[in-house]
Structures are given as structure tokens and as C-alpha cells.
Amino acid sequence: MAPSSPHNTCNAVCVMDASTPLGTALVHRLLHLDFTVHAAIHTNMPEFMFDGFDDNKKLKIFHSDPFDYHSILDALRGCCGLFYTFDPPQHLPAFHDEMMMMMMEEEEVRAAHNVLEACAQIETIDKVVFTSSVTAVIWGHHHPNSTSISHLDERFWSDVHFCRKFKLWHGLSKTLAEKTAWALAMDRGVNMVSVNAGLLVGPGLTIDHPYLNGAAEMYEGGLFVTVDLNYLVDAHIRVFKDLSSYGRYICFNHIINTHDDAVDLARKLTPLPLSEQQQYTTMIPQRISNKKLNKLLMNSTGGDQID
């Protein structure tokens, strides 16, 4: 990997997979910021999500497969940075189809390995922003009534044995993939930061989203957090551009810890009968912290606006 250089000299970045909601939003924002963007989408995905940028010479679309090492290299060549995200299919046969979930876990881990290995081979890559999940942080720690751990932050990892035991496949996949990426980044000298995002709320979110497996336990433990797309995009670009960013960043801008919060989210997923729309005032104490990311966002200077 090339020696670290100031990000204000960087003008070409890769977004992979650019066909995800986050990936598409990142491409649009980065083009607005005058970056040259290599948008890497799966080979079977259409390019319509980039309508309106057809005449933008700074947008280059690559049909890339995270399991095809050479197609990853093609998308990364000439870039100084990578924004990497892997979204599991939202409409899987069943959360309890163990064989299917184990296959998805293996695919996500293998994709992370291939992408980080490719980054190590591209001399121009200066920084990788790896999108992970809060589910790679929260599972398998002490009971919420325990006083030994008052808050979870970016130092914590989900327990993979706990995830397997309780079939928390999303947390298992995200934990193993992120650990694989970190191990390879450290071994190959790749400058990487991770953004561990809460549940992305927006169009297309359904009750079938794999993040929601274990939602009741997250809620009761004060660990059910969500994030808006614009906030998540801002966070990714901030940690990429800030030379001081390092390690993991938990990213959310809302916590579901009251009955009204839970009803509002449930209403977005599926309409609730009137009998379920009762009013409660109990607030569950928040047990997860995003102070590290908030500090970075607050310390950004006025001259480094990304809007």
C-alpha cells in the first residue's frame, strides 16, 4: 500500500457494492463533492440507479463480483479509497433456515477477505471504510441488569458462540466478516476504519430484514438503535476524510427505547391494529454509546463541510 497522503489530494474512490441503498447514496454524495467515483455493482445489477449522472465523466461503473478477485482489482485501480458494504438479502426463506444462513455467513466472510486482500495489492489505496453493523458489537454480553457493563461501545465484539446458539445470523455474519477484514488489514498494512451502523431506516425496510432477528432482546436491553441514510453517509465520508480517524465507530442517530418509538418503527414495517396502539411512558435505559463518532463529527472544522 502507498504511504499515507492527505485526503484533500485524493480525487478517486471506489464504492462497493454501489447497488445497495448506502452504496448508491454514497456515489451520489461523492460525485456532488467532485470525487471521481468507481461504482462497483454486481454483474447482474442494472445501472438505472445512477440515472441523471450519465453525462458525468467522474462516474465510472464497474460490474464487479466480490467472489471474483480480478474484477475487484479492476474496480480499485487508480483509487485512493474504498467504501465497502455488503448487504445480505432481506427476503430470505426463514431466519431459522440454518443451512441457508451458514452459506450467507461464509459468503460475507469470503467477500470481505477478497476485498481486503485486493486493497493490499493496489498501491494507491490509502484508506478503506468498511461498513459493519451494531450487531457485531451487542450480542452475548452481560444481562442488562448487571452492573459490570453499563454501556457497550466500539471496544466490544459480539460473541460468535452466543450468536450461533440463538441463531442470530446477522450478528454472526457481520462479526466474522469484520474480524476477517481487521485481521487482514493489520496483517497487510491496510489503513482501515469500520462504521458499525444501526438498523438503516428508509424505503424498502420490512419485517423480514435479518437485522431484526432478536429485536425484542435489543429493545429490552437498551441496544436497539437505528440510523437515517443521510446521517450514515455523512459518517462514512467524515471518517474517510479525517486523518485522525481510526478503529471502529458505532453509528446511529436514534434509539428505540420507549413504547412509542417501538410502535413508530413497527408501523413502518407493518400496520398495527388499533388495539395495539396503547400509550406507555416507560423508558428503557440506553446501554450503547456512539461517543467516539460524535466526537469526530463535532471536531470537524467548518472548512471541511460535506453537505
Side-chain angles (χ1 to χ4, degrees):
M1 188 181 71
S4 180
S5 58
H7 288 306
N8 58 15
T9 66
C10 172
N11 61 0
V13 294
C14 179
V15 177
M16 181 185 300
D17 174 13
S19 60
T20 65
L22 173 59
T24 303
L26 277 168
V27 170
H28 284 235
R29 184 72 68 83
L30 290 162
L31 289 172
H32 177 71
L33 294 171
D34 209 31
F35 282 90
T36 294
V37 180
H38 292 198
I41 61 178
H42 288 171
T43 53
N44 61 342
M45 294 297 297
E47 300 177 7
F48 67 84
M49 69 278 294
F50 303 118
D51 286 350
F53 290 95
D54 298 336
D55 59 347
N56 192 319
K57 296 180 179 179
K58 288 184 174 291
L59 174 63
K60 303 181 182 191
I61 298 176
F62 292 80
H63 289 277
S64 181
D65 184 341
F67 310 115
D68 180 350
Y69 184 71
H70 294 289
S71 72
I72 300 172
L73 290 174
D74 290 341
L76 291 175
R77 284 193 179 94
C79 292
C80 67
L82 167 67
F83 295 88
Y84 174 75
T85 180
F86 184 103
D87 275 6
Q90 294 189 22
H91 304 287
L92 293 171
F95 285 132
H96 305 293
D97 187 335
E98 188 164 346
M99 186 62 67
M100 175 67 74
M101 293 302 178
M102 288 178 67
M103 289 174 59
M104 287 302 304
E105 166 204 322
E106 291 173 3
E107 288 188 358
E108 186 158 357
V109 170
R110 186 155 58 96
H113 180 278
N114 290 346
V115 169
L116 265 294
E117 183 64 59
C119 287
Q121 304 305 318
I122 300 295
E123 293 184 354
T124 56
I125 292 291
D126 184 58
K127 196 169 196 177
V128 175
V129 181
F130 185 96
T131 309
S132 186
S133 173
V134 165
T135 61
V137 174
I138 62 173
W139 292 120
H141 303 293
H142 289 72
H143 189 275
N145 292 330
S146 170
T147 58
S148 59
I149 301 177
S150 59
H151 284 79
L152 302 182
D153 59 24
E154 64 282 345
R155 295 171 296 177
F156 290 84
W157 287 90
S158 288
D159 184 327
V160 295
H161 302 294
F162 181 91
C163 290
R164 283 200 179 97
K165 179 178 179 181
F166 293 101
K167 303 184 186 300
L168 299 165
W169 305 119
H170 190 272
L172 179 63
S173 295
K174 293 300 180 184
T175 302
L176 292 175
E178 188 189 344
K179 283 192 170 185
T180 296
W182 276 116
L184 202 56
M186 290 186 284
D187 184 63
R188 302 287 194 272
V190 175
N191 179 20
M192 187 180 104
V193 293
S194 69
V195 176
N196 293 71
L199 176 67
L200 179 58
V201 176
L205 179 64
T206 71
I207 195 71
D208 297 321
H209 196 293
Y211 186 107
L212 291 167
N213 192 20
E217 290 77 12
M218 283 188 272
Y219 173 74
E220 293 168 2
L223 300 169
F224 195 172
V225 291
T226 66
V227 64
D228 297 323
L229 182 58
N230 286 337
Y231 187 88
L232 186 57
V233 170
D234 286 347
H236 276 72
I237 295 176
R238 289 291 189 196
V239 299
F240 174 71
K241 294 179 70 176
D242 196 307
L243 293 174
S244 67
S245 65
Y246 68 97
R248 308 167 85 203
Y249 290 87
I250 292 178
C251 181
F252 63 90
N253 60 346
H254 188 62
I255 181 161
I256 309 297
N257 65 341
T258 69
H259 177 77
D260 288 345
D261 291 334
V263 168
D264 286 343
L265 178 60
R267 190 177 289 117
K268 294 174 184 177
L269 302 173
T270 181
L272 290 177
L274 291 176
S275 60
E276 295 293 327
Q277 299 183 22
Q278 304 174 28
Q279 297 298 312
Y280 297 89
T281 58
T282 301
M283 177 178 290
I284 296 172
Q286 178 177 336
R287 293 185 56 248
I288 187 166
S289 171
N290 58 351
K291 288 182 179 179
K292 182 182 177 186
L293 178 61
N294 286 340
K295 182 178 180 181
L296 183 142
L297 296 178
M298 287 189 295
N299 287 344
S300 297
T301 61
D304 189 31
Q305 295 298 313
I306 62 176
D307 297 312

